[in-house]
Amino acid sequence: MLKPLSRSILFLALVQLGFPLPAAAGETLDRIKNDGLLKCGVHAGQQGLAVKDDIGNWRGFEVDLCRSWSAALFGKADQVSFVEVSTETGLKALNDGRIDVLALHEDALFGRRDVSFAGSAFVNSLGLMVRRADAFSNALELDGASICFGGDEDARGRIDAFASQNRITLNVRKTDSIEEGVFQLREGACSALMAGRLALAGLRSQEENGAALYEILPELLSRQLMGPVTLSGDRAWQNVVRWGVFAMLLAEEKQVSSENLASMASSTEDPAIRRLLGFEGDFGTQLDLDSLWAYRIVEAVGNYGEVYDRHFGPGRPTELERGPNALWIDGGLMRAPPFQ
């Protein structure tokens, strides 16, 4: 009878075969602290998420997530290195050790044991963009119209299901790419373009006078939860990432912002706010951080609403109604557990 492999032999076998190994508990967090630098994977070039401005500074929703974790870890939001990744390369970069966290990724990680979804930070969805000149106010008014899309069959199934459920007819036209779809919409070959709402907002922002020419309709044809991803096994680091997002959400719910933070800290008697800001409880100790970690997040980047509005709020080139990204008390899906 064969004897079971020892742990050391099994470890070497996995390494030689190229299997990713889970991080030891606390290993990632300890290394980041020792290095004094957070390596954060961002989707570079995606408007609203992560872009460089004319002088080389990073801007975007993902960028502020990374900066929030840096503030919690080091007391400064700028001890972060932004690593450019794509939807296809992000998880590999995480497993290769080139990044410590992937700022946003869809939660479609079923069956994967090498990485872990650290909670929702954004809800994306398939949506429809139309020309303002056509005066469509909702998707039902597109009955009989042509819809361009450059996505996969799953996306095609979503629009077909929407048409069937609402008893309307939509003539779907497949394009070679989403950029070709924008061209077809601009030229009037189709009445609407279907794609992820983040992608639509980014494309509209790149068009000259895009906000004046195009409107993204309110209907959500799907819901795609997105959030940070870490290596599996290191719960200590995953907890820091997860509760960093929770801190921004709870700050908005409790109406604590970067503007009123100092006055709230000095005057509030609300125990929930005092726990959030580190004046009661030992939540920092439980995360292996100091007591003011959440205070510094709000100070550095603001609460969740401030971050969202900074990149997708009214008047922004990438403006998107909050919809499912609103707090649960406002009818959205964003919610944080209490600090207790």
Side-chain angles (χ1 to χ4, degrees), residues 187-248:
E187 296 299 310
C190 53
S191 297
L193 172 64
M194 183 181 71
R197 283 165 61 86
L198 275 174
L200 291 175
L203 288 166
R204 182 178 61 180
S205 72
Q206 295 173 19
E207 291 281 306
E208 186 176 358
N209 298 319
L213 294 174
Y214 303 107
E215 178 180 6
I216 300 173
L217 296 179
E219 284 79 11
L220 308 178
L221 305 185
S222 67
R223 283 184 174 83
Q224 301 162 315
L225 300 182
M226 302 180 71
V229 178
T230 64
L231 286 178
S232 294
D234 195 336
R235 293 295 299 275
W237 171 230
Q238 187 181 81
N239 280 336
V240 170
V241 170
R242 176 184 289 115
W243 283 93
V245 176
F246 286 159
M248 289 191 293

Side-chain angles (χ1 to χ4, degrees), residues 89-249:
T89 64
L91 296 181
K92 186 176 188 304
L94 189 60
N95 273 303
D96 290 346
R98 291 192 292 115
I99 59 176
D100 303 311
V101 58
L102 180 58
L104 281 183
H105 191 276
E106 288 186 28
D107 66 338
L109 298 174
F110 182 79
R112 296 198 64 138
R113 298 185 179 182
D114 54 336
V115 295
S116 296
F117 190 66
S120 298
F122 197 94
V123 182
N124 195 18
S125 64
L126 287 172
L128 295 162
M129 185 166 72
V130 297
R131 294 180 298 273
R132 290 189 183 275
D134 291 336
F136 292 116
S137 61
N138 61 70
L140 299 182
E141 295 175 358
L142 291 167
D143 189 16
S146 294
I147 310 297
C148 287
F149 90 109
D152 55 22
E153 288 307 309
D154 180 65
R156 170 62 186 264
R158 297 284 184 178
I159 192 65
D160 288 343
F162 176 83
S164 176
Q165 290 166 5
N166 290 280
R167 299 181 180 180
I168 61 176
T169 300
L170 297 174
N171 303 309
V172 180
R173 299 182 53 188
K174 185 75 165 61
T175 61
D176 293 335
S177 66
I178 189 172
E179 290 78 14
E180 173 65 17
V182 174
F183 175 80
Q184 297 286 349
L185 177 64
R186 184 192 309 126
E187 296 299 310
C190 53
S191 297
L193 172 64
M194 183 181 71
R197 283 165 61 86
L198 275 174
L200 291 175
L203 288 166
R204 182 178 61 180
S205 72
Q206 295 173 19
E207 291 281 306
E208 186 176 358
N209 298 319
L213 294 174
Y214 303 107
E215 178 180 6
I216 300 173
L217 296 179
E219 284 79 11
L220 308 178
L221 305 185
S222 67
R223 283 184 174 83
Q224 301 162 315
L225 300 182
M226 302 180 71
V229 178
T230 64
L231 286 178
S232 294
D234 195 336
R235 293 295 299 275
W237 171 230
Q238 187 181 81
N239 280 336
V240 170
V241 170
R242 176 184 289 115
W243 283 93
V245 176
F246 286 159
M248 289 191 293
L249 288 168

Side-chain angles (χ1 to χ4, degrees), residues 259-282:
E259 294 183 356
N260 67 14
L261 179 62
S263 62
M264 281 282 196
S266 63
S267 64
T268 185
E269 296 182 1
D270 184 336
I273 296 177
R274 292 184 61 80
R275 289 193 295 268
L276 169 68
L277 299 183
F279 302 125
E280 290 184 11
D282 61 347

Side-chain angles (χ1 to χ4, degrees), residues 28-29 32-33 36-43 49 60-83 94 99-105 116-122 226-230 236-249 287-290 292-302 304 307:
T28 305
L29 180 57
I32 294 170
K33 286 183 173 182
L37 184 70
L38 170 65
K39 295 176 294 183
C40 201
V42 295
H43 293 85
L49 293 184
F61 187 90
E62 289 187 333
V63 171
D64 277 348
L65 286 180
C66 300
R67 295 178 70 244
S68 74
W69 296 317
S70 173
L73 289 162
F74 308 116
K76 298 178 181 179
D78 59 357
Q79 289 183 230
V80 52
S81 172
F82 299 104
V83 180
L94 189 60
I99 59 176
D100 303 311
V101 58
L102 180 58
L104 281 183
H105 191 276
S116 296
F117 190 66
S120 298
F122 197 94
M226 302 180 71
V229 178
T230 64
W237 171 230
Q238 187 181 81
N239 280 336
V240 170
V241 170
R242 176 184 289 115
W243 283 93
V245 176
F246 286 159
M248 289 191 293
L249 288 168
L287 292 175
D288 199 18
L289 301 173
D290 66 30
L292 296 179
W293 65 276
Y295 181 105
R296 291 198 303 271
I297 287 178
V298 179
E299 183 179 45
V301 302
Y304 184 89
V307 173

